[in-house]
Amino acid sequence: QITLQESGPTLVKPTQTLTLTCTFSGFSLTTGGVGVGWIRQPPGKSLEWLALIYWDDDKRYSPSLKNRLTLTRDTSKNQVVLTMTDMDPLDTATYYCARHYGPEFYFDYWGQGTLVTVSS
Amino acid sequence: DIQMTQSPSSLSASVGDRVTITCRASQSISSFLNWYQQKPGKAPRLLIYAASTLQSGVPSRFSGSGSGTDYTLTISSLQPEDFATYYCQQTYSTPPNTFGQGTKLDIK
């Protein structure tokens, strides 16, 4: 059974750094074709693709947020960590992590999401 | 970035109706197109990948088609549990794998 779970703060202040952890089970991030991605969704709005880390530790970031995002992984703990610097109220959103599977490239398993509010 | 435009943005339909949602890419995406369903307060659910392949466990009333820049999601006979928001996503170009703006399907 594949599961993913996001964890981290629910409230951050403007200019602070957000750190979110995705803890997963039922698959390995070292298996070829597998990745873990992050997607966010502001309240009432569409989905926004943020970043993706692949089985070979290759990482891709949204160009619009690239300077603010960092992905790291701990394969022994089955965790992927997303950090986002310089948080702004416009970053208020539900943040999801999801398993990314190739070669067709899709998110087939998702975490439940975590709502992060940016406010002073 | 490749832009994904869905139409319509919202749609009212009745149980039993046949419904089609369209997704247009700003350039050819060679069938690297996925469809997701999202219900309020829930994570998206993968319905179709590679434009036309039904994800395991998804009812056969859902189907996808298209090529190049134009793709469609069809629900052949709407069921009460199908009322939700639907998103397309291109995975031809990374990053980013852009999503459409969504199509909200509600009960007429």
Side-chain angles (χ1 to χ4, degrees):
Chain A
Q1 182 189 6
I2 291 174
T3 64
L4 300 97
Q5 176 76 55
E6 306 87 353
S7 59
T10 58
L11 179 65
V12 297
K13 290 180 168 47
T15 75
Q16 286 187 334
T17 294
L18 171 68
T19 300
L20 293 173
T21 300
C22 178
T23 303
F24 57 88
S25 63
F27 68 95
S28 171
L29 193 43
T30 59
T31 300
V34 172
V36 171
W38 287 91
I39 307 97
R40 71 179 179 180
Q41 185 172 39
K45 296 190 177 181
S46 182
L47 301 163
E48 180 183 11
W49 188 97
L50 299 179
L52 180 59
I53 186 166
Y54 294 93
W55 74 95
D56 58 0
D57 207 30
D58 188 18
K59 300 160 191 172
R60 303 296 168 94
Y61 299 101
S62 172
S64 64
L65 294 167
K66 183 175 183 178
N67 293 338
R68 299 175 53 204
L69 297 176
T70 303
L71 279 173
T72 58
R73 69 178 186 173
D74 186 330
T75 54
S76 66
K77 293 183 178 179
N78 282 348
Q79 290 181 332
V80 171
V81 176
L82 176 74
T83 59
M84 180 180 292
T85 61
D86 194 23
M87 293 292 284
D88 181 272
L90 290 175
D91 296 314
T92 294
T94 297
Y95 287 74
Y96 296 99
C97 65
R99 188 181 84 148
H100 186 263
Y101 192 71
E104 294 89 355
F105 309 133
Y106 47 78
F107 290 120
D108 57 353
Y109 292 90
W110 294 63
Q112 65 187 28
T114 185
L115 176 61
V116 177
T117 301
V118 184
S119 174
S120 55
Chain B
D1 298 3
I2 296 177
Q3 305 305 314
M4 306 300 293
T5 303
Q6 288 182 234
S7 60
S9 296
S10 63
L11 176 61
S12 294
S14 301
V15 173
D17 283 355
R18 179 183 180 90
V19 166
T20 297
I21 297 168
T22 297
C23 183
R24 172 166 289 176
S26 58
Q27 66 182 74
S28 176
I29 55 172
S30 300
S31 297
F32 284 89
L33 190 284
N34 306 321
W35 290 99
Y36 299 87
Q37 176 194 66
Q38 187 180 33
K39 296 182 178 179
K42 300 294 187 181
R45 172 197 180 197
L46 177 67
L47 298 176
I48 288 169
Y49 62 91
S52 60
T53 303
L54 201 64
Q55 171 68 346
S56 176
V58 174
S60 59
R61 62 181 180 273
F62 291 91
S63 64
S65 65
S67 62
T69 60
D70 295 326
Y71 299 85
T72 59
L73 172 70
T74 299
I75 309 172
S76 60
S77 178
L78 272 175
Q79 298 302 301
E81 61 267 29
D82 299 337
F83 292 96
T85 301
Y86 293 84
Y87 294 94
C88 61
Q89 180 207 21
Q90 68 80 20
T91 55
Y92 177 77
S93 173
T94 306
N97 293 154
T98 39
F99 291 88
Q101 83 278 17
T103 296
K104 185 176 182 181
L105 176 56
D106 60 21
I107 301 173
K108 185 184 289 183

